Amino acid sequence: MTGQRTRRGALRAIGAAGLAGATAIAGCAGTSSVDADGTTSPAGDGTDAPPATTEPAVPRTDSVGMGCDASGEYQFVPALIRVEPGTTVSFGVTSQCRQQTLAYHPDNDAPLRIPEAAESWSSDAMQRSGTFEYTFELAGVYDYFGLSEATGQVGSVVVGSPDPDGQPGLAEPQSDLPDPAKTALTELNERTRALLDGGNA
């Protein structure tokens, strides 16, 4: 794959990357209309309009920011998103520090934590306004990591409403992963299971 980097290469690339603040990327909100009597109702044709619903705790978004927080730790923002099959997600650098996104897949010298039939991905190391896009075609749970995996820079994309059973991305984190990454993946697993069980993560 073009621009593919191994985990060893990614860890070497972190080098003396600078650190700066990060900005979050927000999802989209729904729309509503104001009736003649001043009450607010959901947008639609006015017949059998569905009741207003509360925004889910896990955003449905097609953007993930890659940057550093105020303490200089690398992170993905948001770390957990949910999209529909066929959605293209844009991973965008939001700070001066070098960033990368890599699927947990043997192609990247990493354990498999995405659906077995899905294609792996590995972006180039990017800085400033660099972006990388990946289209999630198959339903499932996709775990990925960045240059600072050793300090817990991991993320997860839930595609559709997959059956949690048999998802590599919901398996217990592999023993050879860095402890901070294992901790972060365990937390993401818990949030993802709650989401797929119909609750808020």
Side-chain angles (χ1 to χ4, degrees), residues 73-98:
E73 291 190 7
Y74 287 36
Q75 58 184 207
F76 296 110
V77 180
L80 175 61
I81 65 170
R82 190 175 192 181
V83 300
E84 294 302 322
T87 299
T88 298
V89 173
S90 177
F91 296 87
V93 179
T94 60
S95 67
Q96 297 297 319
C97 47
R98 186 174 296 185

Side-chain angles (χ1 to χ4, degrees), residues 122-146:
S122 173
S123 74
D124 290 331
M126 302 174 290
Q127 286 182 281
R128 296 188 176 92
S129 59
T131 60
F132 172 80
E133 293 185 341
Y134 178 86
T135 300
F136 291 85
E137 300 286 1
L138 304 176
V141 178
Y142 296 71
D143 288 341
Y144 60 94
F145 62 99

Side-chain angles (χ1 to χ4, degrees), residues 12-35:
R12 284 196 299 271
I14 193 169
L19 300 177
T23 57
I25 297 177
C28 299
T31 59
S32 61
S33 60
V34 179
D35 298 331

